[in-house]
Amino acid sequence: MLNLELYGDIFTFHKTPVSFATEKYTNVFARKQNRTLFETIGNHKYSKLSFEVGTAYLEYVDYPLGSFLLNRKEAGDPIYKSFLNCYGDLEYCKFWIQTSRHSHSSGLYTFVSNSQVLYIGKTTDRFSRRINYGYGSIAPKNCYRDGQSTNCYVNSRVTRLNLDIEIFLCPIANLSNLTHIERALISRYQPAWNHGYRVKEGCNETT
């Protein structure tokens, strides 16, 4: 167990079994094939790229987006990064928490390595869904500017640790104050990954 103190209250986190796939993944963004380049720049999130794409990449407008970006990456063209969030071109792994006493509950969770709390998060969904289908399995759409950059960020950090990570769950019965508790715990314990994500959120670098 892991106990975190806040305002005199103790929040008890229970270690949950984690499984990892052995394979690691790169160029996940390239698997996005359901939209063309032309369709993508019609989205307001990418409208600033429409002029550049329309003039310099006209021959690619009917390419599936992922194929276009991989083509540009392999050609050494940095335009591909403009479509991705700042964690969208990193190496990822697949992991999941096993069914346990608390896996179907909701509340707070932590990622821990060598007894150091690296990340604190919250979910009103089941822990198993948030972790297994969010952080633990990076979908191509997550890699883009309008995707879920938090999933990419946390997964890439787990991957960098060579899977040396533990996950702890803290079920919360009353979810009305969940956001306040999460923020207060982050402020109190300053987990490295929470701080790192806030600093770089919104950037276009893949570092």
mmCIF file of all heavy atoms in Angstrom, residues 25-61:
data_model
loop_
_atom_site.group_PDB
_atom_site.id
_atom_site.type_symbol
_atom_site.label_atom_id
_atom_site.label_comp_id
_atom_site.label_asym_id
_atom_site.label_seq_id
_atom_site.Cartn_x
_atom_site.Cartn_y
_atom_site.Cartn_z
ATOM 1 N N TYR A 25 6.620 0.298 -29.689
ATOM 2 C CA TYR A 25 6.043 0.781 -30.924
ATOM 3 C C TYR A 25 6.539 2.184 -31.262
ATOM 4 O O TYR A 25 6.662 3.030 -30.387
ATOM 5 C CB TYR A 25 4.509 0.823 -30.817
ATOM 6 C CG TYR A 25 3.895 -0.497 -30.401
ATOM 7 C CD1 TYR A 25 3.687 -0.783 -29.054
ATOM 8 C CD2 TYR A 25 3.542 -1.440 -31.349
ATOM 9 C CE1 TYR A 25 3.124 -1.991 -28.659
ATOM 10 C CE2 TYR A 25 2.980 -2.652 -30.971
ATOM 11 C CZ TYR A 25 2.775 -2.925 -29.623
ATOM 12 O OH TYR A 25 2.232 -4.121 -29.251
ATOM 13 N N THR A 26 6.812 2.410 -32.541
ATOM 14 C CA THR A 26 7.141 3.737 -33.039
ATOM 15 C C THR A 26 6.239 4.049 -34.231
ATOM 16 O O THR A 26 5.592 3.155 -34.792
ATOM 17 C CB THR A 26 8.613 3.830 -33.477
ATOM 18 O OG1 THR A 26 8.872 2.830 -34.473
ATOM 19 C CG2 THR A 26 9.550 3.623 -32.290
ATOM 20 N N ASN A 27 6.193 5.311 -34.606
ATOM 21 C CA ASN A 27 5.392 5.762 -35.755
ATOM 22 C C ASN A 27 3.924 5.346 -35.635
ATOM 23 O O ASN A 27 3.265 5.039 -36.641
ATOM 24 C CB ASN A 27 5.973 5.228 -37.064
ATOM 25 C CG ASN A 27 7.372 5.758 -37.344
ATOM 26 O OD1 ASN A 27 7.689 6.896 -37.022
ATOM 27 N ND2 ASN A 27 8.201 4.925 -37.943
ATOM 28 N N VAL A 28 3.400 5.375 -34.425
ATOM 29 C CA VAL A 28 1.999 5.011 -34.222
ATOM 30 C C VAL A 28 1.086 5.966 -34.993
ATOM 31 O O VAL A 28 0.037 5.557 -35.519
ATOM 32 C CB VAL A 28 1.657 5.005 -32.716
ATOM 33 C CG1 VAL A 28 0.158 4.823 -32.490
ATOM 34 C CG2 VAL A 28 2.432 3.884 -32.019
ATOM 35 N N PHE A 29 1.470 7.229 -35.092
ATOM 36 C CA PHE A 29 0.659 8.224 -35.808
ATOM 37 C C PHE A 29 0.385 7.805 -37.249
ATOM 38 O O PHE A 29 -0.626 8.187 -37.840
ATOM 39 C CB PHE A 29 1.347 9.585 -35.786
ATOM 40 C CG PHE A 29 2.661 9.611 -36.543
ATOM 41 C CD1 PHE A 29 2.691 9.850 -37.913
ATOM 42 C CD2 PHE A 29 3.865 9.391 -35.891
ATOM 43 C CE1 PHE A 29 3.887 9.872 -38.615
ATOM 44 C CE2 PHE A 29 5.064 9.406 -36.582
ATOM 45 C CZ PHE A 29 5.079 9.642 -37.951
ATOM 46 N N ALA A 30 1.294 7.029 -37.836
ATOM 47 C CA ALA A 30 1.179 6.654 -39.248
ATOM 48 C C ALA A 30 0.021 5.694 -39.500
ATOM 49 O O ALA A 30 -0.386 5.497 -40.653
ATOM 50 C CB ALA A 30 2.487 6.031 -39.735
ATOM 51 N N ARG A 31 -0.521 5.111 -38.442
ATOM 52 C CA ARG A 31 -1.622 4.169 -38.612
ATOM 53 C C ARG A 31 -2.969 4.859 -38.794
ATOM 54 O O ARG A 31 -3.977 4.192 -39.041
ATOM 55 C CB ARG A 31 -1.691 3.239 -37.399
ATOM 56 C CG ARG A 31 -0.416 2.430 -37.163
ATOM 57 C CD ARG A 31 -0.528 1.605 -35.902
ATOM 58 N NE ARG A 31 0.740 0.976 -35.547
ATOM 59 C CZ ARG A 31 0.968 0.332 -34.417
ATOM 60 N NH1 ARG A 31 -0.020 0.214 -33.516
ATOM 61 N NH2 ARG A 31 2.139 -0.203 -34.157
ATOM 62 N N LYS A 32 -2.994 6.166 -38.681
ATOM 63 C CA LYS A 32 -4.253 6.899 -38.883
ATOM 64 C C LYS A 32 -4.524 7.015 -40.381
ATOM 65 O O LYS A 32 -3.853 7.761 -41.099
ATOM 66 C CB LYS A 32 -4.196 8.280 -38.248
ATOM 67 C CG LYS A 32 -5.544 9.021 -38.293
ATOM 68 C CD LYS A 32 -5.486 10.289 -37.480
ATOM 69 C CE LYS A 32 -6.781 11.085 -37.568
ATOM 70 N NZ LYS A 32 -7.954 10.328 -37.089
ATOM 71 N N GLN A 33 -5.481 6.264 -40.860
ATOM 72 C CA GLN A 33 -5.742 6.178 -42.289
ATOM 73 C C GLN A 33 -7.176 6.560 -42.657
ATOM 74 O O GLN A 33 -7.560 6.427 -43.824
ATOM 75 C CB GLN A 33 -5.464 4.741 -42.769
ATOM 76 C CG GLN A 33 -4.042 4.258 -42.530
ATOM 77 C CD GLN A 33 -3.029 4.945 -43.430
ATOM 78 O OE1 GLN A 33 -3.269 5.152 -44.607
ATOM 79 N NE2 GLN A 33 -1.888 5.317 -42.870
ATOM 80 N N ASN A 34 -7.951 7.020 -41.691
ATOM 81 C CA ASN A 34 -9.370 7.252 -41.960
ATOM 82 C C ASN A 34 -9.674 8.653 -42.481
ATOM 83 O O ASN A 34 -10.820 8.971 -42.779
ATOM 84 C CB ASN A 34 -10.201 6.990 -40.696
ATOM 85 C CG ASN A 34 -9.854 7.926 -39.557
ATOM 86 O OD1 ASN A 34 -8.731 8.422 -39.477
ATOM 87 N ND2 ASN A 34 -10.806 8.169 -38.671
ATOM 88 N N ARG A 35 -8.654 9.504 -42.595
ATOM 89 C CA ARG A 35 -8.830 10.835 -43.164
ATOM 90 C C ARG A 35 -7.691 11.135 -44.126
ATOM 91 O O ARG A 35 -6.546 10.743 -43.889
ATOM 92 C CB ARG A 35 -8.847 11.911 -42.088
ATOM 93 C CG ARG A 35 -10.132 12.023 -41.306
ATOM 94 C CD ARG A 35 -10.100 13.243 -40.420
ATOM 95 N NE ARG A 35 -11.322 13.434 -39.671
ATOM 96 C CZ ARG A 35 -11.544 14.444 -38.849
ATOM 97 N NH1 ARG A 35 -10.605 15.357 -38.666
ATOM 98 N NH2 ARG A 35 -12.689 14.539 -38.198
ATOM 99 N N THR A 36 -8.007 11.862 -45.182
ATOM 100 C CA THR A 36 -6.964 12.309 -46.093
ATOM 101 C C THR A 36 -6.332 13.583 -45.555
ATOM 102 O O THR A 36 -6.854 14.230 -44.644
ATOM 103 C CB THR A 36 -7.534 12.586 -47.490
ATOM 104 O OG1 THR A 36 -8.453 13.685 -47.403
ATOM 105 C CG2 THR A 36 -8.244 11.356 -48.044
ATOM 106 N N LEU A 37 -5.223 13.968 -46.166
ATOM 107 C CA LEU A 37 -4.581 15.223 -45.800
ATOM 108 C C LEU A 37 -5.526 16.391 -46.048
ATOM 109 O O LEU A 37 -5.638 17.303 -45.211
ATOM 110 C CB LEU A 37 -3.298 15.390 -46.623
ATOM 111 C CG LEU A 37 -2.534 16.696 -46.438
ATOM 112 C CD1 LEU A 37 -2.094 16.876 -44.995
ATOM 113 C CD2 LEU A 37 -1.334 16.727 -47.380
ATOM 114 N N PHE A 38 -6.245 16.373 -47.156
ATOM 115 C CA PHE A 38 -7.179 17.448 -47.471
ATOM 116 C C PHE A 38 -8.292 17.559 -46.432
ATOM 117 O O PHE A 38 -8.643 18.645 -45.986
ATOM 118 C CB PHE A 38 -7.786 17.217 -48.861
ATOM 119 C CG PHE A 38 -8.788 18.257 -49.264
ATOM 120 C CD1 PHE A 38 -8.375 19.511 -49.691
ATOM 121 C CD2 PHE A 38 -10.146 17.987 -49.210
ATOM 122 C CE1 PHE A 38 -9.300 20.486 -50.054
ATOM 123 C CE2 PHE A 38 -11.083 18.952 -49.567
ATOM 124 C CZ PHE A 38 -10.652 20.204 -49.982
ATOM 125 N N GLU A 39 -8.845 16.433 -46.025
ATOM 126 C CA GLU A 39 -9.907 16.444 -45.019
ATOM 127 C C GLU A 39 -9.399 16.977 -43.684
ATOM 128 O O GLU A 39 -10.117 17.665 -42.957
ATOM 129 C CB GLU A 39 -10.471 15.038 -44.843
ATOM 130 C CG GLU A 39 -11.277 14.545 -46.035
ATOM 131 C CD GLU A 39 -11.620 13.072 -45.932
ATOM 132 O OE1 GLU A 39 -10.850 12.309 -45.293
ATOM 133 O OE2 GLU A 39 -12.647 12.665 -46.506
ATOM 134 N N THR A 40 -8.159 16.675 -43.368
ATOM 135 C CA THR A 40 -7.593 17.086 -42.082
ATOM 136 C C THR A 40 -7.407 18.596 -42.003
ATOM 137 O O THR A 40 -7.745 19.216 -40.986
ATOM 138 C CB THR A 40 -6.245 16.387 -41.843
ATOM 139 O OG1 THR A 40 -6.444 14.969 -41.860
ATOM 140 C CG2 THR A 40 -5.641 16.798 -40.505
ATOM 141 N N ILE A 41 -6.890 19.220 -43.044
ATOM 142 C CA ILE A 41 -6.646 20.661 -42.970
ATOM 143 C C ILE A 41 -7.953 21.456 -43.004
ATOM 144 O O ILE A 41 -7.947 22.662 -42.771
ATOM 145 C CB ILE A 41 -5.697 21.137 -44.085
ATOM 146 C CG1 ILE A 41 -6.283 20.842 -45.465
ATOM 147 C CG2 ILE A 41 -4.321 20.514 -43.912
ATOM 148 C CD1 ILE A 41 -5.434 21.395 -46.605
ATOM 149 N N GLY A 42 -9.078 20.764 -43.242
ATOM 150 C CA GLY A 42 -10.367 21.412 -43.129
ATOM 151 C C GLY A 42 -10.836 21.560 -41.699
ATOM 152 O O GLY A 42 -11.772 22.317 -41.408
ATOM 153 N N ASN A 43 -10.184 20.841 -40.784
ATOM 154 C CA ASN A 43 -10.480 20.944 -39.361
ATOM 155 C C ASN A 43 -9.824 22.208 -38.807
ATOM 156 O O ASN A 43 -8.671 22.514 -39.131
ATOM 157 C CB ASN A 43 -9.937 19.699 -38.642
ATOM 158 C CG ASN A 43 -10.261 19.660 -37.170
ATOM 159 O OD1 ASN A 43 -9.967 20.593 -36.432
ATOM 160 N ND2 ASN A 43 -10.848 18.565 -36.730
ATOM 161 N N HIS A 44 -10.539 22.945 -37.949
ATOM 162 C CA HIS A 44 -10.012 24.209 -37.437
ATOM 163 C C HIS A 44 -8.707 24.052 -36.679
ATOM 164 O O HIS A 44 -7.906 24.986 -36.611
ATOM 165 C CB HIS A 44 -11.052 24.907 -36.551
ATOM 166 C CG HIS A 44 -11.240 24.273 -35.207
ATOM 167 N ND1 HIS A 44 -12.014 23.141 -35.007
ATOM 168 C CD2 HIS A 44 -10.729 24.603 -33.989
ATOM 169 C CE1 HIS A 44 -11.987 22.816 -33.730
ATOM 170 N NE2 HIS A 44 -11.225 23.676 -33.083
ATOM 171 N N LYS A 45 -8.462 22.873 -36.128
ATOM 172 C CA LYS A 45 -7.216 22.633 -35.385
ATOM 173 C C LYS A 45 -6.001 22.705 -36.305
ATOM 174 O O LYS A 45 -4.882 22.936 -35.857
ATOM 175 C CB LYS A 45 -7.261 21.262 -34.718
ATOM 176 C CG LYS A 45 -8.249 21.141 -33.573
ATOM 177 C CD LYS A 45 -7.598 21.475 -32.252
ATOM 178 C CE LYS A 45 -8.523 21.164 -31.093
ATOM 179 N NZ LYS A 45 -7.890 21.427 -29.790
ATOM 180 N N TYR A 46 -6.224 22.481 -37.594
ATOM 181 C CA TYR A 46 -5.130 22.422 -38.554
ATOM 182 C C TYR A 46 -5.243 23.506 -39.621
ATOM 183 O O TYR A 46 -4.490 23.483 -40.592
ATOM 184 C CB TYR A 46 -5.102 21.039 -39.223
ATOM 185 C CG TYR A 46 -5.002 19.910 -38.235
ATOM 186 C CD1 TYR A 46 -6.150 19.276 -37.749
ATOM 187 C CD2 TYR A 46 -3.772 19.474 -37.760
ATOM 188 C CE1 TYR A 46 -6.065 18.253 -36.823
ATOM 189 C CE2 TYR A 46 -3.682 18.453 -36.835
ATOM 190 C CZ TYR A 46 -4.826 17.843 -36.367
ATOM 191 O OH TYR A 46 -4.742 16.833 -35.449
ATOM 192 N N SER A 47 -6.155 24.441 -39.443
ATOM 193 C CA SER A 47 -6.412 25.441 -40.474
ATOM 194 C C SER A 47 -5.188 26.304 -40.778
ATOM 195 O O SER A 47 -5.013 26.767 -41.912
ATOM 196 C CB SER A 47 -7.593 26.329 -40.065
ATOM 197 O OG SER A 47 -7.323 26.985 -38.826
ATOM 198 N N LYS A 48 -4.328 26.506 -39.793
ATOM 199 C CA LYS A 48 -3.130 27.311 -40.016
ATOM 200 C C LYS A 48 -2.160 26.647 -40.987
ATOM 201 O O LYS A 48 -1.250 27.298 -41.512
ATOM 202 C CB LYS A 48 -2.425 27.596 -38.687
ATOM 203 C CG LYS A 48 -3.207 28.523 -37.766
ATOM 204 C CD LYS A 48 -2.444 28.814 -36.486
ATOM 205 C CE LYS A 48 -3.222 29.760 -35.584
ATOM 206 N NZ LYS A 48 -2.503 30.037 -34.311
ATOM 207 N N LEU A 49 -2.346 25.355 -41.210
ATOM 208 C CA LEU A 49 -1.463 24.632 -42.117
ATOM 209 C C LEU A 49 -2.011 24.569 -43.537
ATOM 210 O O LEU A 49 -1.327 24.084 -44.438
ATOM 211 C CB LEU A 49 -1.253 23.197 -41.600
ATOM 212 C CG LEU A 49 -0.617 23.059 -40.229
ATOM 213 C CD1 LEU A 49 -0.724 21.619 -39.735
ATOM 214 C CD2 LEU A 49 0.841 23.488 -40.279
ATOM 215 N N SER A 50 -3.227 25.049 -43.726
ATOM 216 C CA SER A 50 -3.889 24.852 -45.013
ATOM 217 C C SER A 50 -3.153 25.543 -46.162
ATOM 218 O O SER A 50 -3.042 24.989 -47.255
ATOM 219 C CB SER A 50 -5.341 25.330 -44.940
ATOM 220 O OG SER A 50 -5.403 26.706 -44.605
ATOM 221 N N PHE A 51 -2.647 26.751 -45.941
ATOM 222 C CA PHE A 51 -1.948 27.455 -47.012
ATOM 223 C C PHE A 51 -0.669 26.729 -47.403
ATOM 224 O O PHE A 51 -0.396 26.499 -48.590
ATOM 225 C CB PHE A 51 -1.632 28.893 -46.610
ATOM 226 C CG PHE A 51 -0.875 29.658 -47.666
ATOM 227 C CD1 PHE A 51 -1.546 30.180 -48.761
ATOM 228 C CD2 PHE A 51 0.496 29.835 -47.565
ATOM 229 C CE1 PHE A 51 -0.852 30.875 -49.753
ATOM 230 C CE2 PHE A 51 1.196 30.530 -48.551
ATOM 231 C CZ PHE A 51 0.526 31.046 -49.644
ATOM 232 N N GLU A 52 0.124 26.360 -46.405
ATOM 233 C CA GLU A 52 1.387 25.675 -46.683
ATOM 234 C C GLU A 52 1.152 24.343 -47.379
ATOM 235 O O GLU A 52 1.838 24.008 -48.354
ATOM 236 C CB GLU A 52 2.172 25.451 -45.396
ATOM 237 C CG GLU A 52 3.512 24.766 -45.592
ATOM 238 C CD GLU A 52 4.303 24.641 -44.312
ATOM 239 O OE1 GLU A 52 3.779 25.010 -43.243
ATOM 240 O OE2 GLU A 52 5.457 24.153 -44.373
ATOM 241 N N VAL A 53 0.159 23.589 -46.874
ATOM 242 C CA VAL A 53 -0.132 22.292 -47.478
ATOM 243 C C VAL A 53 -0.649 22.472 -48.902
ATOM 244 O O VAL A 53 -0.254 21.751 -49.827
ATOM 245 C CB VAL A 53 -1.151 21.513 -46.628
ATOM 246 C CG1 VAL A 53 -1.672 20.295 -47.382
ATOM 247 C CG2 VAL A 53 -0.517 21.081 -45.315
ATOM 248 N N GLY A 54 -1.520 23.465 -49.098
ATOM 249 C CA GLY A 54 -2.117 23.679 -50.407
ATOM 250 C C GLY A 54 -1.141 24.144 -51.465
ATOM 251 O O GLY A 54 -1.388 23.964 -52.664
ATOM 252 N N THR A 55 -0.031 24.737 -51.039
ATOM 253 C CA THR A 55 0.958 25.213 -51.999
ATOM 254 C C THR A 55 2.130 24.263 -52.167
ATOM 255 O O THR A 55 2.555 23.994 -53.291
ATOM 256 C CB THR A 55 1.488 26.600 -51.580
ATOM 257 O OG1 THR A 55 1.984 26.524 -50.229
ATOM 258 C CG2 THR A 55 0.397 27.648 -51.653
ATOM 259 N N ALA A 56 2.639 23.730 -51.064
ATOM 260 C CA ALA A 56 3.854 22.911 -51.139
ATOM 261 C C ALA A 56 3.589 21.412 -51.253
ATOM 262 O O ALA A 56 4.477 20.660 -51.662
ATOM 263 C CB ALA A 56 4.732 23.183 -49.917
ATOM 264 N N TYR A 57 2.374 20.984 -50.887
ATOM 265 C CA TYR A 57 2.118 19.540 -50.846
ATOM 266 C C TYR A 57 0.851 19.168 -51.602
ATOM 267 O O TYR A 57 0.154 18.229 -51.248
ATOM 268 C CB TYR A 57 1.997 19.071 -49.388
ATOM 269 C CG TYR A 57 3.222 19.396 -48.564
ATOM 270 C CD1 TYR A 57 3.260 20.541 -47.770
ATOM 271 C CD2 TYR A 57 4.336 18.572 -48.597
ATOM 272 C CE1 TYR A 57 4.389 20.852 -47.023
ATOM 273 C CE2 TYR A 57 5.469 18.877 -47.857
ATOM 274 C CZ TYR A 57 5.488 20.020 -47.078
ATOM 275 O OH TYR A 57 6.609 20.320 -46.341
ATOM 276 N N LEU A 58 0.578 19.886 -52.661
ATOM 277 C CA LEU A 58 -0.656 19.686 -53.399
ATOM 278 C C LEU A 58 -0.801 18.265 -53.926
ATOM 279 O O LEU A 58 -1.908 17.708 -53.958
ATOM 280 C CB LEU A 58 -0.734 20.675 -54.568
ATOM 281 C CG LEU A 58 -2.067 20.765 -55.306
ATOM 282 C CD1 LEU A 58 -3.190 21.181 -54.352
ATOM 283 C CD2 LEU A 58 -1.970 21.755 -56.468
ATOM 284 N N GLU A 59 0.312 17.657 -54.294
ATOM 285 C CA GLU A 59 0.252 16.295 -54.852
ATOM 286 C C GLU A 59 -0.096 15.240 -53.802
ATOM 287 O O GLU A 59 -0.392 14.092 -54.134
ATOM 288 C CB GLU A 59 1.580 15.925 -55.526
ATOM 289 C CG GLU A 59 2.761 15.722 -54.592
ATOM 290 C CD GLU A 59 3.558 16.990 -54.334
ATOM 291 O OE1 GLU A 59 2.946 18.093 -54.344
ATOM 292 O OE2 GLU A 59 4.779 16.877 -54.110
ATOM 293 N N TYR A 60 -0.088 15.640 -52.527
ATOM 294 C CA TYR A 60 -0.356 14.684 -51.441
ATOM 295 C C TYR A 60 -1.753 14.828 -50.840
ATOM 296 O O TYR A 60 -2.083 14.113 -49.896
ATOM 297 C CB TYR A 60 0.660 14.874 -50.311
ATOM 298 C CG TYR A 60 2.086 14.565 -50.662
ATOM 299 C CD1 TYR A 60 3.002 15.597 -50.908
ATOM 300 C CD2 TYR A 60 2.540 13.257 -50.731
ATOM 301 C CE1 TYR A 60 4.334 15.324 -51.213
ATOM 302 C CE2 TYR A 60 3.867 12.973 -51.037
ATOM 303 C CZ TYR A 60 4.758 14.012 -51.281
ATOM 304 O OH TYR A 60 6.069 13.731 -51.582
ATOM 305 N N VAL A 61 -2.558 15.743 -51.331
ATOM 306 C CA VAL A 61 -3.804 16.070 -50.626
ATOM 307 C C VAL A 61 -4.758 14.881 -50.498
ATOM 308 O O VAL A 61 -5.581 14.842 -49.574
ATOM 309 C CB VAL A 61 -4.535 17.259 -51.280
ATOM 310 C CG1 VAL A 61 -3.734 18.538 -51.104
ATOM 311 C CG2 VAL A 61 -4.840 16.974 -52.751
#
